[in-house]
Amino acid sequence: MDAHLARMLSSSRQCRCCGATFAQLLSLSCDRPDIVPGDLELQDNTAVFVTEGDVLTEDFCRFGTLRFLRAVLAIPLADLRGEEFILGTWAGVNEEVFNEYLDLFELRETESMGSRPAWLSNQIPPDSNGPLACMLHMRPDGQYPELQVSEVNHDLARMQELGLNLEELLTFLHAYGHDLASLVYDS
Ligand SMILES: [Zn+2]
């Protein structure tokens, strides 16, 4: 393991922008698909079953004719075996996949769906081009399904394949506005 990275992971230094430690920043999350405006209020999951029209919950979003599922996108850290950088994000899916997922969600049987085509519905990093073609792999025990980028020449696909080194990870976090100096260097 990279010694510098190991030190950062156990450090209690906090980001000046948000107060998070480096270890906490290894998971970032988007609260809604990029296309969904900030004034669509976040509700709990029951809302998706009892309402029609546009709705945003913890795990589901219906917006016009678009359908989204909460998902994660994991990028392994090359210098840190087993550790991953986890992005909480949204997968755009077709209505058939959305409805099937909803039917199986409460039974915790979404894993039986296997893998389905989906679109990454947040720009990662923030100023990249989207939406990006992915496969959405269902996982057991109520875990979020996991996105794997399908466009093999895309930067994000390469990162998923090879992992991020420390410098790339810091570039990534910086793109999200985190104050790296306050995390990386002793003040
Ligand atoms: Zn921050």
Side-chain angles (χ1 to χ4, degrees):
M1 181 192 292
D2 180 277
H4 189 196
L5 189 51
R7 265 199 311 279
M8 286 172 66
L9 271 175
S10 57
S11 166
S12 60
R13 285 196 293 265
Q14 293 178 308
C15 175
R16 275 188 291 254
C17 90
C18 62
T21 63
F22 178 77
Q24 288 166 339
L25 288 179
L26 291 183
S27 64
L28 289 180
S29 86
C30 309
D31 72 342
R32 65 192 66 220
D34 287 348
I35 201 170
V36 173
D39 61 3
L40 187 61
E41 186 194 342
L42 179 66
Q43 302 187 69
D44 58 51
N45 276 337
T46 51
V48 80
F49 297 99
V50 300
T51 60
E52 306 220 333
D54 295 352
V55 66
L56 174 68
T57 76
E58 292 140 28
D59 297 300
F60 305 103
C61 182
R62 201 162 54 214
F63 184 66
T65 58
L66 304 175
R67 302 291 180 269
F68 304 95
L69 301 172
R70 183 88 162 144
V72 293
L73 191 149
I75 302 175
L77 296 180
D79 301 330
L80 204 57
R81 230 170 296 144
E83 295 279 348
E84 294 179 314
F85 180 44
I86 304 286
L87 291 140
T89 184
W90 291 84
V93 294
N94 67 32
E95 181 145 28
E96 186 191 331
V97 170
F98 185 82
N99 290 337
E100 190 178 349
Y101 190 91
L102 267 189
D103 287 344
L104 294 168
F105 183 77
E106 297 209 298
L107 303 170
R108 292 185 148 233
E109 288 177 3
T110 53
E111 191 190 10
S112 66
M113 293 173 69
S115 299
R116 298 301 174 91
W119 297 94
L120 175 61
S121 300
N122 298 103
Q123 291 190 13
I124 297 172
D127 53 359
S128 59
N129 296 324
L132 186 59
C134 293
M135 284 302 289
L136 185 63
H137 303 296
M138 303 303 172
R139 296 193 297 169
D141 306 322
Q143 296 178 77
Y144 289 125
E146 184 164 348
L147 282 165
Q148 181 184 16
V149 178
S150 305
E151 293 178 22
V152 291
N153 292 322
H154 194 278
D155 281 352
L156 211 47
R158 189 186 56 81
M159 287 179 202
Q160 282 197 304
E161 176 74 24
L162 302 175
L164 284 177
N165 63 33
L166 178 57
E167 191 182 336
E168 290 167 323
L169 176 64
L170 294 178
T171 303
F172 222 101
L173 292 174
H174 185 64
Y176 282 87
H178 294 294
D179 180 12
L180 296 177
S182 60
L183 285 161
V184 178
Y185 306 107
D186 291 310
S187 50

